[in-house]
């Protein structure tokens, strides 16, 4: 089972969660590729069996809560036009409230015929809880055969 972890991170929290996920999932024998949203290519997304997209939550009073720009650009520009129902999980770190940030990723994935299967978000100082929840979900729903 090949997993692609795509993340963006400005102050390191989402990057740290991505690294923790990589460590835990590799221990469980998943094959992991990690890419920054700025450099991920369509071919990386095509090769994966399961894609995880990680973002910090950025809020703007007038425009609602969003993933960071690098993630918004990535889902617009790097995603293959047809994801052929490939499963995608979104995760976010935030300080106060994640609101609809992951909903935007979900909508972009579904517009490209991807299968958005789950969202996970936790406050930035609860990284281990976030990682454990995601790893539990993956081992239950995408077990290594
Ligand atoms: C410009 C900016 C806007 C933010 N807006 C929100 C927000 O609306 N709600 C929230 O809960 N956290 C908000 N945060 C906090 C970040 O989501 C949080 O610190 C996150 O863990 C940062 O991830 P990173 O270290 O990977 O960049 C904001 C941070 C920045 C820098």
């Amino acid at each position: 089972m090949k997993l692609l972890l795509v993340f963006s991170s400005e102050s390191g929290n989402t990057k740290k969660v991505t690294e923790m996920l990589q460590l835990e999932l590799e221990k469980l024998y998943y094959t992991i590729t990690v890419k920054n949203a700025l450099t991920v290519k369509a071919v990386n997304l095509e090769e994966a069996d399961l894609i995880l997209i990680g973002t910090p939550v950025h809020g703007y009073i007038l425009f609602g809560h969003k993933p960071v720009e690098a993630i918004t650009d990535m889902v617009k520009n790097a995603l293959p036009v047809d994801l052929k129902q490939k499963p995608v999980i979104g995760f976010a770190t935030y300080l106060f409230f994640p609101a609809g940030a992951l909903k935007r990723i979900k909508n972009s994935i579904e517009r490209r015929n991807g299968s958005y299967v789950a969202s996970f978000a936790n406050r930035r100082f609860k990284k281990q809880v976030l990682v454990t929840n995601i790893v539990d979900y993956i081992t239950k729903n995408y077990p290594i055969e």
Side-chain angles (χ1 to χ4, degrees), residues 84-119:
K84 300 179 182 149
Q85 288 298 301
K86 196 177 290 261
V88 179
I89 294 171
F91 68 92
T93 66
Y94 63 92
L95 182 54
F96 304 113
F97 183 55
L102 290 172
K103 187 88 196 324
R104 288 168 187 259
I105 294 180
K106 178 178 192 284
N107 291 343
S108 302
I109 297 301
E110 289 175 349
R111 268 200 300 273
R112 284 164 193 251
N113 193 31
S115 170
Y116 188 89
V117 293
S119 286

Side-chain angles (χ1 to χ4, degrees), residues 45-56:
L45 298 143
E46 275 155 11
E47 279 169 5
D49 301 312
L50 172 65
I51 299 168
L52 277 80
I53 300 177
T55 182

Side-chain angles (χ1 to χ4, degrees), residues 19-54:
E19 289 167 355
M20 290 162 76
L21 280 169
Q22 177 178 20
L23 262 179
E24 292 210 12
L25 289 164
E26 280 178 345
K27 269 190 222 154
L28 297 167
Y29 303 105
Y30 288 88
T31 304
I32 309 293
T33 303
V34 176
K35 292 278 171 192
N36 191 298
L38 294 171
T39 55
V40 68
K41 304 244 172 350
V43 63
N44 302 128
L45 298 143
E46 275 155 11
E47 279 169 5
D49 301 312
L50 172 65
I51 299 168
L52 277 80
I53 300 177

Side-chain angles (χ1 to χ4, degrees), residues 9-14 56-59 65 93-97 124:
S9 185
E10 294 189 349
S11 49
N13 293 294
T14 314
V57 171
H58 278 192
H65 295 73
T93 66
Y94 63 92
L95 182 54
F96 304 113
F97 183 55
R124 66 190 187 194

